[in-house]
Amino acid sequence: MSKFEKYLERFELGHSVALSRSRGWSYVIGWAHRITGLFLLFYLLLHINTLSTLTEPEVFSARMAILSGPLFRVLELVLAVPVIFHSLNGGRLLVYELFTTDYDDLLRSWVGLLSAVYLLLLGYFMYLGDQSVSPVFFWFSAMAAGLIISYGCARKLRRAQGSMFWKMQRLSGALLFVLVPAHMLFMHLSHAVGRDVQVITERLSQPSIAVIDGILLILVLYHGGYGLVGGLKDYVTDRRIIRTVSGAVFLVLLLFGLQGISLLRSF
């Protein structure tokens, strides 16, 4: 590396540090959004792997017995933090990008406020336990709300500049804005909903619920994969590396997606 290149590298590093300081919370929130996105994508793959053992009830029940202790109950509530933050902040970004609002500071405040309300509500239901709700009614209500939001975003995206893949990423985000927090809330309405083999298999045996779960699976895998590759492009300029990593990401997510779809079709 020449002296000029070293000087340029130090300059760019110093410029990045200064830029991060000047951005303040926006910079921190931007990084938090990416980190929570990566974490949730990894958790989804782990979740698919765990659910794949439903075909072996004894193995699944043994895993759930481990995850039912008091420590893991607390960790479940902690897990809700990146879920609700990523969802609500993603909604903020959609509003900022598509509706050109000048109230971004206000939106950030609402992200924090609604996140706190959601966590309190989730913790309350976890404390009550054994709350019953019709899966069909719950998920069709959530899907309807997600489709309404997606329709509003789709109207804006028709006139927006960007590739079809970019637009699909935004549309998937609009649906997941509702479906992901709803999924976590539903899983904690009752202890048996996400742990009892019979309860899970009965729910997944309903064709309408299996279709909604399949849509949720595809949306999360696409949204997470696109976000992962998009983040890579921000820091890597070598096209060969980008193509190689993108191909690997696509292959891994495809395999997990097929595993998830196969599981849903088995009931």
Side-chain angles (χ1 to χ4, degrees):
M1 182 181 292
S2 65
K3 290 184 178 180
F4 175 75
E5 289 173 332
K6 290 180 179 179
Y7 171 78
L8 183 61
E9 183 180 13
R10 288 197 299 269
F11 173 79
E12 290 177 344
L13 178 61
H15 179 68
S16 299
V17 173
L19 190 59
S20 67
R21 290 174 178 172
S22 66
R23 286 181 177 179
W25 280 110
S26 296
Y27 183 80
V28 173
I29 291 174
W31 267 105
H33 189 78
R34 288 186 171 181
I35 292 172
T36 53
L38 288 173
F39 172 79
L40 294 176
L41 180 60
F42 173 77
Y43 175 78
L44 171 67
L45 302 185
L46 183 64
H47 190 52
I48 293 173
N49 181 261
T50 300
L51 289 177
S52 65
T53 60
L54 280 170
T55 54
E56 303 175 78
E58 293 181 357
V59 177
F60 181 82
S61 298
R63 290 191 179 185
M64 290 301 102
I66 296 174
L67 300 176
S68 297
L71 175 61
F72 285 99
R73 296 288 288 171
V74 174
L75 290 178
E76 283 182 336
L77 185 59
V78 173
L79 175 64
V81 175
V83 169
I84 192 60
F85 168 79
H86 192 85
S87 298
L88 291 178
N89 191 61
R92 178 186 71 85
L93 294 175
L94 280 174
V95 171
Y96 184 80
E97 286 183 345
L98 301 181
F99 297 91
T100 59
T101 178
D102 294 327
Y103 300 101
D104 196 46
D105 290 338
L106 179 62
L107 289 175
R108 285 199 297 268
S109 299
W110 273 100
V111 167
L113 177 62
L114 292 178
S115 295
V117 171
Y118 178 86
L119 292 173
L120 289 172
L121 182 64
L122 183 65
Y124 177 68
F125 280 122
M126 291 174 68
Y127 171 75
L128 291 178
D130 299 327
Q131 302 299 302
S132 61
V133 63
S134 167
V136 175
F137 173 77
F138 181 93
W139 283 113
F140 271 87
S141 299
M143 183 63 75
L147 288 174
I148 291 172
I149 294 174
S150 298
Y151 174 74
C153 292
R155 294 190 62 180
K156 289 291 183 178
L157 284 168
R158 283 190 306 175
R159 298 186 294 271
Q161 298 295 322
S163 68
M164 178 188 68
F165 298 107
W166 178 85
K167 292 180 180 181
M168 287 299 298
Q169 204 264 354
R170 266 52 185 178
L171 279 178
S172 64
L175 266 170
L176 294 174
F177 170 75
V178 175
L179 295 184
V180 170
H183 176 74
M184 175 156 280
L185 183 62
F186 181 81
M187 289 295 104
H188 291 88
L189 288 175
S190 173
H191 185 75
V193 169
R195 289 177 172 79
D196 187 276
V197 174
Q198 184 176 354
V199 173
I200 297 173
T201 52
E202 286 179 358
R203 180 173 62 87
L204 294 180
S205 64
Q206 301 179 58
S208 56
I209 297 301
V211 169
I212 292 176
D213 279 356
I215 292 172
L216 179 60
L217 171 66
I218 294 170
L219 288 174
V220 174
L221 289 175
Y222 178 82
H223 189 83
Y226 187 95
L228 180 59
V229 173
L232 174 70
K233 290 179 179 179
D234 289 342
Y235 301 98
V236 177
T237 57
D238 191 316
R239 293 185 179 181
R240 290 174 298 181
I241 296 177
I242 292 174
R243 283 196 296 266
T244 301
V245 175
S246 299
V249 169
F250 173 79
L251 180 60
V252 170
L253 297 185
L254 177 63
L255 291 175
F256 274 93
L258 292 174
Q259 184 182 23
I261 296 298
S262 176
L263 174 66
L264 291 173
R265 294 182 61 186
S266 65
F267 296 105

